[in-house]
Amino acid sequence: MKGASHPTNDVSLNPSTTPTIQDVIGQVQAGRRQFIKGGVGAAALASAGGLTLSGLVSTVQAAPVPASIGFPGIGFDSVPANTRALNAALLGVASSTSVVDRITVPAGYTANVFVSWGDPIMPGGTAFSGNASEAAAQQLKQFGMHNDGMHFFPFTSTNGAASSERGLLCVNNEYTHEELLFTDGQIGAGYTIAKTRKSQAAHGVSIVEARRINGKWAVAKSSVYGRRITANTKMRVSGPAAGHALLKSNEYTITDTGSVPTGNQLDGFTAYGTVNNCAHGITPWGTYLTCEENWNGNFGSNSALPTASASEDGKLFNRYGVVAAGFGYKWHTTDPRWDVVTNPKEANLFGWVVEIDPFNPTALPVKRTALGRFKHESAQYVVDSQNNVALYMGDDERNEYIYKFVCSGKFNPTNRAANRNLLDAGVLYVARFDANLAGEWIALLPGTIGLNGAALRDHPNFAGANDAEVQAKILIKTRMAADAVGATMMDRPEWTGARPRIGGFDEIEVYCTLTNNNRRGSAATPTSNNPDGSTTAASARPAMDAANPAADNVYGHIIRWRENGKVVTATTFNWDLFAQAGDTLTTKTPKTTNDYKGNIVDSPNGSADYGAPDGLWFDPFGRLWVQTDQIGDGSGDFVNIGGNMMVCADPNTGETRRFLTAPNKCEVTGVTMTPDGKTMFVGVQHPGEDALASNPTQFSNWPQNQWSIEADGVTLLPNGRPRSSVVVITKDDGGIIGS
């Protein structure tokens, strides 16, 4: 989630005086786990085959992690960290400026590339050119750029069981790297509407039919289910905010050559496009939820934006981080729909969770406004024993919040159609984490009393003709509502994951990655988000608290909570910190609240250190998988941790093993399995990030430098440019991944 067109979310957009999660948790003394010292000896290395990746993989020895309540154990040894020092040793040179540019998995596993940016995924699709010379029309039938969250939806086998041989892989395409997307880069011979349309076509969601034939996974390129959902796809807006005036943007006729104003406004029930689709979710009735994260960066203007004090539009832009320059995209220069001065209400149509039916290509995607508007990272569902449904969500920005939406209706497991509008009615809550390790879900409703002692219906940000309009404004201005009620500011809440209730474990236990926050504890006089909603996005510099206890939290941590009464309708919960990420070998000067070493449980010492936890997912068997998103080239704070990775952890003990390391300057993001657990799909995003069009392989030439063919035998062009891809992983003995 980095790069010229995608920020690290370093900037604080939230100055308020409410207690931060650090303010709350700083009073709780957390016990630290002890590391076990260990290392790789020369004799062990020699016996394993010498200085090769396969040899190194075989040297990291640790006892399997045993099974326990609700957890089947971990059966593989950690792979070594992918560091610059490792790359230098493998190359036989004194030093290196990059990590090893390839995927590494444990001994006994095989990885292959399954689908990459530019691969055809539907009838009429063309093969990737290698030099990015495709036009928008071709990109519309190809796999999108910079894949992120994903899910495998199985077909039903002839015996009625869920198939592990055929399914639809729904994959988010979060953003684009314009220097790689175009042969001549973003500017090159000039920036045109043709470039805008191609960039928009590479955003969104790719739906791919995956088939395993004769043991090999392949994309069904002629599938009727193959589909692209992009920045220009027509969508429906539903729920309590639908139809509100703040969602009535200017109407345009969208063509290949431009967006032409009709002189009318949209009706507030219609939108076009989805962008910055980061993590995701699914529903128990079999639909896909794509989450709009850094959507603010796709907007811009050549004119000055209204100030926060001048207009309602300006206040929304300020709180959500909409600025004239955007994140470097130039869509607004050729497409007036994305110019927030010309078309100010368009931005309000983004920041939602979008529901997609993968098995119905003709169904319009639906933006579900009841789930609130912010930088949605993921949406994890839980169905309790009474068939109540909840979704848990993070707002991925420093100093933002964790949310829960509880449906008013109950899940009907025997009637799929009865569930299709469950996400349109319910209550949206925001979390407050208290220092005594308890917490409260605060309802964002018109009658909720804010920090100013008045109900939200009487707050000037949400005042309306009636409570229905008040509720619509609360949902459109969700961040402001959370400010007003004193929710706990978090260190970039990203993916959420719910632990399976299996094997004797029956709690509703939800985890959330808190990726980092170097602003935490950085100010002599801490600041927090103003209850009046006037904070500029990510601008606060909060103090430490119980839930975010580390100053300069560069490595991040993982929090978890259990719902009281084991029901999702609970308004109180208990919580703790699952792990503080860090570097066992760091030489950084320790702070009173942060030694930077973390408390990851692994053996040998430091063998599964990680930082910047981002992706988080429980497999159906109870293993916790965590993916990371840091600079990815083994520099700076990550010289010992190395590049990005995916680890596997025991939720009972925290014991962790490193399963996968990734190519240079990429992020590991997105993971899913077939129902039998014997095939895993993992996403690798933006390998070689920051390269210029003049030298696209400057930092990486992955995946074609690791494989000459894809999993189905299609040839990978040896040159060209690095490509975000989905990798397919199997166990050589045919067993379950992780066992």
Side-chain angles (χ1 to χ4, degrees), residues 187-210:
I187 304 301
Y191 191 79
T192 63
I193 186 63
K195 286 187 174 182
T196 294
R197 288 292 185 252
K198 183 178 180 183
S199 181
Q200 292 169 345
H203 275 73
V205 178
S206 297
I207 299 177
V208 178
E209 182 176 340

Side-chain angles (χ1 to χ4, degrees), residues 491-665:
D491 287 353
R492 279 189 67 192
E494 297 221 36
W495 289 51
T496 51
R499 185 175 174 183
R501 301 195 300 282
I502 56 174
F505 181 81
D506 64 353
E507 299 282 351
I508 294 177
E509 184 173 284
V510 184
Y511 292 59
C512 182
T513 49
L514 301 168
T515 297
N516 52 39
N517 190 352
N518 59 6
R519 272 66 169 161
R520 181 73 66 176
S522 64
T525 303
T527 58
S528 51
N529 295 334
N530 294 321
D532 66 359
S534 64
T535 300
T536 300
S539 62
R541 294 181 178 264
M544 290 71 69
D545 60 38
N548 308 269
D552 187 31
N553 188 19
V554 294
Y555 293 118
H557 59 294
I558 299 173
I559 196 168
R560 62 182 173 183
W561 59 91
R562 287 184 178 181
E563 298 281 27
N564 288 333
K566 303 179 183 180
V567 291
V568 300
T569 52
T571 56
T572 57
F573 57 89
N574 295 310
W575 67 270
D576 69 3
L577 299 183
F578 175 70
Q580 178 71 46
D583 174 9
T584 308
L585 301 177
T586 186
T587 58
K588 289 173 70 71
T589 302
K591 296 182 179 294
T592 303
T593 61
N594 189 0
D595 66 2
Y596 299 103
K597 294 184 177 181
N599 63 1
I600 296 166
V601 181
D602 53 4
S603 175
N605 174 41
S607 61
D609 281 353
Y610 61 87
D614 186 344
L616 182 148
W617 178 71
F618 276 95
D619 69 29
F621 311 100
R623 297 181 184 88
L624 173 62
W625 301 87
V626 179
Q627 301 171 314
T628 67
D629 176 18
Q630 32 96 346
I631 194 168
D633 65 357
S635 63
D637 291 334
F638 294 90
V639 64
N640 299 315
I641 291 174
N644 280 300
M645 67 189 72
M646 183 169 73
V647 301
C648 184
D650 176 351
N652 292 322
T653 66
E655 187 77 28
T656 303
R657 298 285 185 268
R658 184 186 293 120
F659 179 78
L660 176 150
T661 59
N664 193 45
K665 292 178 76 72

Side-chain angles (χ1 to χ4, degrees), residues 295-327 332 338-345 347-348 373 536:
W295 49 270
N296 57 311
N298 294 80
F299 290 93
S301 183
N302 290 328
S303 304
L305 272 59
T307 64
S309 60
S311 70
E312 184 174 33
D313 292 335
K315 194 167 188 177
L316 279 163
F317 294 159
N318 180 67
R319 189 63 186 87
Y320 282 90
V322 178
V323 296
F327 293 164
H332 65 277
W338 298 86
D339 186 320
V340 289
V341 172
T342 300
N343 190 23
K345 300 297 187 289
N348 299 336
R373 176 176 169 265
T536 300

Side-chain angles (χ1 to χ4, degrees), residues 183-237:
T183 301
D184 62 345
Q186 184 179 43
I187 304 301
Y191 191 79
T192 63
I193 186 63
K195 286 187 174 182
T196 294
R197 288 292 185 252
K198 183 178 180 183
S199 181
Q200 292 169 345
H203 275 73
V205 178
S206 297
I207 299 177
V208 178
E209 182 176 340
R211 291 192 180 192
R212 189 175 189 178
I213 303 172
N214 297 325
K216 293 184 178 181
W217 283 96
V219 174
K221 298 177 178 64
S222 60
S223 173
V224 295
Y225 297 101
R227 185 180 178 193
R228 288 299 320 286
I229 296 161
T230 75
N232 290 315
T233 300
K234 186 176 181 179
M235 303 191 175
R236 184 165 63 86
V237 180

Side-chain angles (χ1 to χ4, degrees), residues 14-338:
N14 190 3
S16 114
T17 55
T18 63
T20 71
I21 213 159
Q22 306 289 25
D23 301 327
V24 165
I25 274 194
Q27 306 159 28
V28 174
Q29 203 67 20
R32 299 189 60 79
R33 303 184 180 104
Q34 299 300 311
F35 291 97
I36 303 168
K37 297 291 183 184
V40 178
L45 180 59
S47 66
L51 194 56
T52 64
L53 272 182
S54 58
L56 283 166
V57 166
S58 301
T59 62
V60 185
Q61 298 294 327
V65 180
S68 53
I69 294 175
F71 174 71
I74 300 173
F76 60 87
D77 296 330
S78 288
V79 299
N82 185 8
T83 63
R84 290 184 171 192
L86 172 62
N87 195 30
L90 292 172
L91 294 173
V93 297
S95 63
S96 173
T97 58
S98 67
V99 299
V100 182
D101 195 30
R102 61 185 292 131
I103 286 281
T104 300
V105 293
Y109 288 82
T110 295
N112 285 291
V113 64
F114 172 67
V115 65
S116 299
W117 160 51
D119 282 344
I121 63 169
M122 66 180 74
T126 57
F128 185 61
S129 66
N131 63 3
S133 59
E134 289 89 349
Q138 293 165 296
Q139 178 65 75
L140 283 169
K141 295 185 177 183
Q142 294 174 327
F143 191 72
M145 205 176 199
H146 290 357
N147 45 274
D148 207 296
M150 68 181 80
H151 186 75
F152 181 89
F153 290 89
F155 281 83
T156 301
S157 299
T158 53
N159 62 3
S163 173
S164 291
E165 306 286 328
R166 183 188 180 202
L168 297 182
L169 188 67
C170 292
V171 186
N172 287 347
N173 299 114
E174 184 183 11
Y175 71 108
T176 55
H177 180 186
E178 311 295 71
E179 285 296 298
L180 297 182
L181 183 65
F182 309 116
T183 301
D184 62 345
Q186 184 179 43
I187 304 301
Y191 191 79
T192 63
I193 186 63
K195 286 187 174 182
T196 294
R197 288 292 185 252
K198 183 178 180 183
S199 181
Q200 292 169 345
H203 275 73
V205 178
S206 297
I207 299 177
V208 178
E209 182 176 340
R211 291 192 180 192
R212 189 175 189 178
I213 303 172
N214 297 325
K216 293 184 178 181
W217 283 96
V219 174
K221 298 177 178 64
S222 60
S223 173
V224 295
Y225 297 101
R227 185 180 178 193
R228 288 299 320 286
I229 296 161
T230 75
N232 290 315
T233 300
K234 186 176 181 179
M235 303 191 175
R236 184 165 63 86
V237 180
S238 71
H244 191 273
L246 286 172
L247 301 185
K248 294 181 179 180
S249 67
N250 296 338
E251 183 183 61
Y252 293 86
T253 300
I254 301 170
T255 70
D256 293 344
T257 57
S259 295
V260 181
T262 67
N264 300 317
Q265 289 185 320
L266 293 175
D267 58 7
F269 296 92
T270 305
Y272 289 88
T274 184
V275 296
N276 254 279
N277 307 83
C278 195
H280 70 295
I282 61 170
T283 65
W285 49 92
T287 56
Y288 185 70
L289 303 176
T290 185
C291 300
E292 298 175 338
E293 188 205 21
N294 285 307
W295 49 270
N296 57 311
N298 294 80
F299 290 93
S301 183
N302 290 328
S303 304
L305 272 59
T307 64
S309 60
S311 70
E312 184 174 33
D313 292 335
K315 194 167 188 177
L316 279 163
F317 294 159
N318 180 67
R319 189 63 186 87
Y320 282 90
V322 178
V323 296
F327 293 164
Y329 291 104
K330 294 185 176 297
W331 295 1
H332 65 277
T333 66
T334 62
D335 186 346
R337 190 162 73 91
W338 298 86

